[in-house]
Amino acid sequence: MSAPSSTPSVLFVCLGNICRSPLAEAALRAEAIRAGLIVEVDSAGTGDWHVGSPPDPRAQATAKRHGIDISGYRGRQVTAEDFRRFTHIFALDSENLEGLRRIRPSDGTAHLSLLMDLMPGHEGSSVTDPYFGEDAGFEVTWDDVSNAAKAIVAMLKGAA
Ligand code: 4NP
């Protein structure tokens, strides 16, 4: 008999933790509920400018359009402990993946990868940062992270 697998836990990491990673967190929470998958989900930023702040109003509005309230989320900075606490850490872009590799502790156990590596045909791609762009960019972000969330659920269900 094989050992019971522990509950998977997923951390999404972008730069500010107010645009892309909170949307990814929201998308995976919703997708996991739909799929009946138990998974711990959180998000963080490599930067510390928005620690304690709610998501960008445009990210909140985007989540709301898709039926999800993220107004209670608060920004936090990724820590070394996250590499021991989570089973999977997904970087939203390649710069943040590099930043995570630099701070990863030697005893970190989390599987660290680029989020879009899960999407066939988009391996190596970044989720574009919508922060400095038009509002419409947030819907593009939502499409990317919700498709990736479906892929994460499929991967975790396959591993269960
Ligand atoms: P995020 O977007 O990394 O998707 O949360 C950003 C939010 C804030 C900043 C940059 C990116 N900023 O420079 O404050």
Side-chain angles (χ1 to χ4, degrees):
M1 205 172 108
S2 61
S5 55
S6 57
T7 303
S9 49
V10 172
L11 179 69
F12 296 103
V13 180
C14 62
L15 182 60
N17 192 209
I18 56 167
C19 298
R20 292 166 293 174
S21 62
L23 287 176
E25 176 182 345
L28 181 56
R29 286 183 185 280
E31 206 53 51
I33 288 169
R34 264 193 288 275
L37 177 74
I38 296 171
V39 56
E40 189 190 336
V41 190
D42 198 5
S43 63
T46 53
D48 66 357
W49 312 284
H50 301 287
V51 170
S53 300
D56 184 284
R58 297 165 296 175
Q60 291 193 44
T62 303
K64 204 169 184 180
R65 274 195 299 279
H66 294 277
I68 304 170
D69 178 5
I70 62 169
S71 62
Y73 290 15
R74 292 294 177 266
R76 75 168 180 92
Q77 191 172 28
V78 67
T79 65
E81 182 57 26
D82 287 323
F83 289 86
R84 294 182 281 266
R85 176 173 154 216
F86 289 89
T87 57
H88 296 77
I89 299 180
F90 291 105
L92 276 282
D93 64 34
S94 47
E95 287 79 16
N96 286 298
L97 179 63
E98 280 313 306
L100 288 166
R101 284 191 176 130
R102 278 196 295 275
I103 63 164
R104 179 185 201 153
S106 56
D107 63 347
T109 47
H111 182 267
L112 174 63
S113 61
L114 193 60
L115 183 64
M116 294 305 271
D117 279 351
L118 285 170
M119 308 307 295
H122 296 274
E123 297 88 346
S125 304
S126 292
V127 176
T128 305
D129 188 350
Y131 183 67
F132 294 107
E134 307 282 323
D135 286 12
F138 282 78
E139 273 303 321
V140 177
T141 301
W142 178 261
D143 279 352
D144 284 346
V145 300
S146 55
N147 286 329
K150 290 186 180 79
I152 292 171
V153 166
M155 176 190 75
L156 293 176
K157 283 204 126 183

